[in-house]
Amino acid sequence: MTIESLTGGPRPPRAGAVATTAAYTRRGLLKLRRVPEQLVDVTIGPILLLVMFTYVFGGAISGTTGDYLQFLLPGILVMGVLLTAVQSGVTLQADRTSGVVDRFRSLPGWRAAPLVGAVLADSVRYAATAAIIVVTGLLLGFDADGGVLGVLAAALLVVVFAFALSWLFTTLGLAVRSAGAVQGIGMMAIFLLVFVSNVFVDPSTLPGAVASFVNVNPISHLVDAVRALLYGRPAGAEVALALAEAAAVTAVFAPLTARLYGR
């Protein structure tokens, strides 16, 4: 018995890459709507980070909490969004363990659509995290000399970098055997790179060997670009470097994720 005899019409056309990816992106967004608890780390976590570091360490590091807020907010913006990117790998590993990945692979359509759609849906989380951090900073007294365009450009840059980094975590999600391991390894790596960067202190105050690592740390390059955009300074070179590093991460780990997914 053919499809034509069952439906009374011709076989429907095979879904293209864009349509298939859009369907999986919608699936990811529906999961956020149906399980809003997933947004707890996006909403509460960034506020706690910003308030805690500003009012606990600000006076000791910069003399006043206001001065430290001006220095800290761009770094917390980067840190908060990149920590959220770990969830991409955790979700993929959970789907793999539950057998959802095997079912997706048996369906017609572009093979990489489930991966791309999930990462695109996670970008909504990144944008929400960036918005919450910026709004909280403005309420606390942050002065964004770059104006609305500078704030939007800084947030977009961080979201793009997080999108690139999420491919690293999806690779990790397919390489290890549990979602807990993905979260543990991912958080440890992000915290290491963030704390040995220019997020919390000026690199000129650090010992020589540590400062040398901070200056070549991609997180530091991203924070430099975000600070320049928020402060209203020329940011072309910093933004270009951050985008080049994001493109390099994507070029390495997106194909690797697709290869592991196919296997």
Side-chain angles (χ1 to χ4, degrees), residues 1 3-4 7 13 16 40 45 57 65 76 89 112-113 115 134 138 152 166 181 188 200 210 230 232 236 257 260 262:
M1 183 176 294
I3 292 181
E4 289 80 358
T7 62
V40 170
F57 301 111
T65 55
I76 290 294
L115 299 173
V134 170
L138 293 174
L152 293 177
S166 65
M188 181 177 62
F200 300 108
V210 178
L230 291 177
T257 298
L260 291 173

Side-chain angles (χ1 to χ4, degrees), residues 109-207:
W110 185 36
R111 198 68 176 273
L115 299 173
V116 178
V119 174
L120 287 174
D122 285 338
S123 296
V124 175
R125 294 164 56 90
Y126 310 153
T129 303
I132 289 170
I133 292 175
V134 170
V135 170
T136 302
L138 293 174
L139 292 175
L140 293 177
F142 179 79
D143 187 9
D145 293 333
V148 175
L149 290 179
V151 170
L152 293 177
L156 179 61
L157 178 63
V158 177
V159 170
V160 169
F161 200 95
F163 175 84
L165 196 63
S166 65
W167 289 110
L168 186 154
F169 293 121
T170 54
T171 299
L172 181 64
L174 293 172
V176 302
R177 298 183 179 182
S178 71
V182 177
Q183 185 155 8
I185 296 171
M187 290 291 186
M188 181 177 62
I190 291 294
F191 273 114
L192 176 62
L193 289 174
V194 164
F195 277 95
V196 191
S197 73
N198 60 357
V199 168
F200 300 108
V201 296
D202 189 332
S204 62
T205 64
L206 300 174

Side-chain angles (χ1 to χ4, degrees), residues 37-59:
E37 294 83 3
Q38 297 182 64
L39 296 176
V40 170
D41 61 332
V42 174
T43 54
I44 299 177
I47 296 175
L48 291 177
L49 283 174
L50 184 60
V51 172
M52 181 181 68
F53 279 102
T54 298
Y55 291 103
V56 174
F57 301 111

Side-chain angles (χ1 to χ4, degrees), residues 91-118:
T91 302
L92 182 58
Q93 168 53 228
D95 284 345
R96 179 189 177 192
T97 302
S98 64
V100 173
V101 168
D102 292 331
R103 283 178 290 202
F104 286 164
R105 290 173 59 192
S106 67
L107 296 175
W110 185 36
R111 198 68 176 273
L115 299 173
V116 178

Side-chain angles (χ1 to χ4, degrees), residues 58-69:
I61 296 176
S62 294
T64 66
T65 55
D67 289 342
Y68 192 55
L69 177 64

